[in-house]
């Protein structure tokens, strides 16, 4: 009998008894047990203590024992589940005595429960706390992106995911649409914005109050983290933390926490490395250093870079009643398919060009993006966060007409090699650089809209 069939049957049994499906740790314990692995080995591979694995396994064996009316243990769980599934299957083809493959099952049939397939959803009502989440008025097609994130969260049981991309690309809208799409899989769904830079203690206290409104909340950060992890084990939770970049220092390399905010590093590291059944989704226009490190070594950590809206952006232009639809694709490409940038630009076209896209595009003889005041103000907020070294690199790249390699940049920028490499890496983590491989060499350009912004800013 295939392993996945046994696991599916085991999931049905647990669901019938508890109303909840197997979590990722329970599935791992079953898989490894079926293959003869010891608890110590399972604990080592899952970064858990052996005692914790034994406790989870013992609870799982008890559930099977209660449902199947047999004493289930680590040594016999596979054979009992195989036999139970076989008998259960036979009940679908016979109501009384039956023989399958010359094996009489009538004596066992009355002892076993009829397990029916259940939809893959949490049956109880989810606790949804969206806090200060913005209301979504329009959502444009992100089918592939939603499917990828749903698979990582629901199927693969990722613990830490970073949803990344330049400002205005639609990260928050996508996350809120994702919550609506997968909410039945969770006991708790929580959204919190970090735009006002809450301290680690403040955000942990706020989260703990949701799980236990009357419970005592410890003062020490380590105890708060431990309590949160316990809740993430007990319940299936999706917690979205938006505007992560607001925890990072302005004028420093990307991903460096403000003074007093370093414990967020501990929070995210714990979330990624400790066993639980929940997921934290981070939204940011800067990639955090811990995510960059953890995703290379931890199978439960991923980052997703959100890109152009593509042809779906035509819906934005249609809502603004723009004309010359044959020119829309050119306009979308010029503004990188960024929904916010297109909103700003479409408003300008409507107000100054009577909605005529062709007339707007012809207005610029050099084919560079035209930046309205609102768009420049939005880019100002991102550019002002750069270090002097990053600004020096962007100024040089803005004057290049072709992609350039690192050796070429070194010739034009008066920075030490280490300062240059750090600046380039930081710009990449802010998603302001475009990199292309040609042969064995990497070539870099600025995001075209940012390139025009830098030219405008430093043209005098």
């Amino acid at each position: 009998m295939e392993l996945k069939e046994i696991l599916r049957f085991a999931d049905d049994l647990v669901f019938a008894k508890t109303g909840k499906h197997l979590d990722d740790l329970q599935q791992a314990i079953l898989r490894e047990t079926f293959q003869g692995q010891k608890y110590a080995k399972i604990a080592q591979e899952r970064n858990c203590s052996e005692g914790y694995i034994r406790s989870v396994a013992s609870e799982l064996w008890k559930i099977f024992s209660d449902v199947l009316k047999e004493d289930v243990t680590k040594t016999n769980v596979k054979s009992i589940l195989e036999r139970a599934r076989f008998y259960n299957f036979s009940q679908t083809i016979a109501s009384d005595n039956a023989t399958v493959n010359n094996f009489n099952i009538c004596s066992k049939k009355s002892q076993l429960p009829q397990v029916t397939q259940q939809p893959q959803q949490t049956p109880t009502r989810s606790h949804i706390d969206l806090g200060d989440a913005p209301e979504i008025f329009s959502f444009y097609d992100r089918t592939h992106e939603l499917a990828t994130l749903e698979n990582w969260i629901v199927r693969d049981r990722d613990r830490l995911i970073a949803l990344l991309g330049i400002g205005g690309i639609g990260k928050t809208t996508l996350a809120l649409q994702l919550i609506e799409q997968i909410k039945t899989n969770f006991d708790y769904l929580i959204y919190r914005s970090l735009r006002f830079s809450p301290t680690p203690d403040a955000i942990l206290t706020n989260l703990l109050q949701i799980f236990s409104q009357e419970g005592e909340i410890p003062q020490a950060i380590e105890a708060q983290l431990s309590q949160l992890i316990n809740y993430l084990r007990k319940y299936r939770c999706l917690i979205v933390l938006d505007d992560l970049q607001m925890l990072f220092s302005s004028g420093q390399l990307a991903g460096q926490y403000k003074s007093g905010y370093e414990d967020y590093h501990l929070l995210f590291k714990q979330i990624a490395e400790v066993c639980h059944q929940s997921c934290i989704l981070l939204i940011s226009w800067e990639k955090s250093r811990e995510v960059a490190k953890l995703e290379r070594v931890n199978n439960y950590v991923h980052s997703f870079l959100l890109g152009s809206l593509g042809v779906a952006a035509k819906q934005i232009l249609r809502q603004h009643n723009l004309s010359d639809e044959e020119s829309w694709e050119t306009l979308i490409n010029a503004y990188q398919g960024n929904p916010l940038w297109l909103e700003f630009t479409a408003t300008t076209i409507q107000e100054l060009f009577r909605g005529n896209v062709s007339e707007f595009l012809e207005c610029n003889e050099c084919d560079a993006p035209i930046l309205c005041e609102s768009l420049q103000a939005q880019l100002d907020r991102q550019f002002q966060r750069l270090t002097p070294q990053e600004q020096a690199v962007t100024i040089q790249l803005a004057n290049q007409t072709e992609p350039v390699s690192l050796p070429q940049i070194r010739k034009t920028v008066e920075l030490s090699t280490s300062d240059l490499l750090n600046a380039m890496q930081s710009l990449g983590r802010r998603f302001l650089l475009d990199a292309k491989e040609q042969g064995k060499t990497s070539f870099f350009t600025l995001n075209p809209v940012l390139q025009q912004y830098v030219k405008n800013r430093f043209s005098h």
Side-chain angles (χ1 to χ4, degrees):
M1 187 180 298
E2 292 187 10
L3 176 60
K4 65 180 181 181
E5 294 177 353
I6 305 177
L7 287 174
R8 187 179 299 115
F9 179 68
D11 184 71
D12 289 335
L13 293 177
V14 172
F15 186 90
K17 176 68 175 178
T18 69
K20 294 186 178 182
H21 294 282
L22 290 169
D23 61 38
D24 62 329
L25 181 57
Q26 290 171 324
Q27 291 185 40
I29 289 173
L30 280 174
R31 282 195 300 268
E32 299 299 321
T33 297
F34 293 163
Q35 296 169 9
Q37 293 284 10
K38 297 183 180 297
Y39 287 141
K41 180 66 173 177
I42 301 174
Q44 181 181 2
E45 292 178 349
R46 305 288 294 186
N47 295 320
C48 299
S49 68
E50 182 178 348
Y52 180 65
I53 294 295
R54 286 184 179 277
S55 175
V56 174
S58 177
E59 183 179 348
L60 192 56
W61 309 152
K62 186 179 185 305
I63 292 172
F64 293 147
S65 298
D66 291 344
V67 176
L68 299 174
K69 310 303 181 186
E70 292 190 63
D71 185 20
V72 178
T73 66
K74 182 176 186 291
T75 56
N76 66 15
V77 61
K78 183 178 181 182
S79 62
I80 288 180
L81 288 179
E82 286 179 332
R83 172 163 47 82
R85 185 184 182 281
F86 178 81
Y87 293 145
N88 189 75
F89 172 74
S90 72
Q91 290 180 355
T92 66
I93 59 175
S95 59
D96 294 308
N97 292 350
T99 301
V100 178
N101 293 336
N102 298 318
F103 183 70
N104 190 292
I105 62 171
C106 63
S107 61
K108 285 285 185 180
K109 187 177 72 171
S110 62
Q111 302 176 18
L112 296 170
Q114 176 67 34
V115 180
T116 57
Q117 293 292 328
Q118 300 288 344
Q120 295 296 311
Q121 296 180 345
T122 301
T124 55
R125 180 178 297 177
S126 300
H127 178 99
I128 301 177
D129 184 343
L130 299 184
D132 51 357
E135 185 176 359
I136 299 178
F137 294 102
S138 298
F139 180 76
Y140 312 106
D141 182 46
R142 291 282 196 181
T143 304
H144 169 72
E145 294 88 341
L146 284 170
T148 299
L149 291 169
E150 180 175 351
N151 282 336
W152 285 352
I153 295 171
V154 177
R155 184 193 65 188
D156 299 341
R157 300 295 186 105
D158 278 8
R159 299 172 189 157
L160 185 66
I161 297 174
L163 176 56
L164 306 168
I166 198 166
I169 200 66
K171 302 181 292 298
T172 300
T173 300
L174 177 64
L176 294 174
Q177 182 67 25
L178 177 68
I179 287 176
E180 180 64 27
Q181 183 168 307
I182 65 177
K183 62 186 180 183
T184 54
N185 293 277
F186 296 91
D187 301 309
Y188 286 84
L189 292 105
I190 302 167
Y191 170 98
R192 288 293 180 268
S193 174
L194 306 175
R195 72 171 68 93
F196 298 118
S197 304
T199 63
D201 175 75
I203 199 69
L204 282 169
T205 299
N206 182 270
L207 292 175
L208 291 175
Q209 287 172 339
I210 294 173
F211 294 110
S212 180
Q213 296 181 0
E214 299 180 358
E216 182 178 350
I217 297 175
Q219 296 298 314
I221 188 76
E222 295 83 0
Q224 291 176 343
L225 281 173
S226 178
Q227 195 173 86
L228 177 63
I229 293 294
N230 285 336
Y231 286 124
L232 299 184
R233 285 174 177 150
K234 182 178 181 180
Y235 304 108
R236 180 88 165 106
C237 310
L238 175 61
I239 300 175
V240 179
L241 299 180
D242 202 350
D243 297 306
L244 180 68
Q245 73 279 347
M246 301 310 294
L247 305 180
F248 304 141
S249 294
S250 181
Q252 301 290 334
L253 295 173
Q256 181 168 321
Y257 287 105
K258 298 175 180 178
S259 177
Y261 288 76
E262 295 83 0
D263 282 336
Y264 273 106
H265 166 78
L266 180 60
L267 166 61
F268 301 141
K269 190 172 185 292
Q270 286 281 92
I271 293 295
E273 295 181 345
V274 176
C275 292
H276 57 82
Q277 61 170 329
S278 300
C279 179
I280 306 294
L281 178 63
L282 306 175
I283 303 177
S284 180
W285 70 40
E286 288 183 23
K287 190 173 188 177
S288 73
R289 297 176 183 184
E290 51 267 285
V291 169
K293 179 180 179 181
L294 287 167
E295 68 180 342
R296 295 194 297 269
V297 298
N298 189 317
N299 293 332
Y300 295 94
V301 179
H302 284 97
S303 60
F304 187 93
L305 179 58
L306 191 59
S308 170
L309 193 56
V311 294
K314 288 185 178 181
Q315 188 176 345
I316 298 174
L317 309 185
R318 193 170 291 113
Q319 289 173 345
H320 283 267
N321 297 315
L322 301 189
S323 59
D324 304 310
E325 189 167 349
E326 65 276 5
S327 300
W328 286 6
E329 189 170 346
T330 301
L331 183 69
I332 291 169
N333 291 337
Y335 293 91
Q336 309 292 293
N338 186 303
L340 183 62
W341 297 355
L342 287 168
E343 287 277 358
F344 290 151
T345 304
T347 298
T348 298
I349 295 173
Q350 186 59 250
E351 292 178 354
L352 299 181
F353 297 88
R354 305 173 308 285
N356 191 308
V357 175
S358 296
E359 185 178 344
F360 171 78
L361 294 174
E362 292 171 359
C363 185
N364 191 1
E365 298 178 356
C366 63
D367 295 328
I370 299 173
L371 310 184
C372 65
E373 181 181 5
S374 296
L375 177 49
Q376 290 199 89
Q378 196 257 354
L379 292 172
D380 271 335
R381 290 192 290 273
Q382 293 183 256
F383 192 81
Q384 290 167 3
R385 297 179 63 85
L386 305 187
T387 65
Q389 292 81 5
E390 288 177 287
Q391 292 186 10
V393 171
T394 60
I395 292 170
Q396 289 299 324
L397 289 177
N399 294 318
Q400 303 297 323
T401 57
E402 299 290 337
V404 292
S405 64
L406 271 173
Q408 291 173 315
I409 298 173
R410 284 185 61 190
K411 294 178 181 178
T412 57
V413 179
E414 296 181 359
L415 295 174
S416 68
T417 300
S418 61
D419 282 346
L420 174 60
L421 294 179
N422 287 334
M424 294 290 289
Q425 184 181 47
S426 184
L427 287 169
R429 290 181 178 176
R430 300 184 200 273
F431 317 109
L432 302 179
L433 279 183
D434 293 332
K436 295 182 179 180
E437 298 287 334
Q438 293 184 13
K440 295 183 179 181
T441 305
S442 296
F443 290 85
F444 301 91
T445 57
L446 281 185
N447 176 295
V449 174
L450 179 67
Q451 183 175 19
Q452 187 59 39
Y453 165 82
V454 174
K455 285 183 177 180
N456 291 350
R457 178 166 179 160
F458 294 97
S459 60
H460 302 294

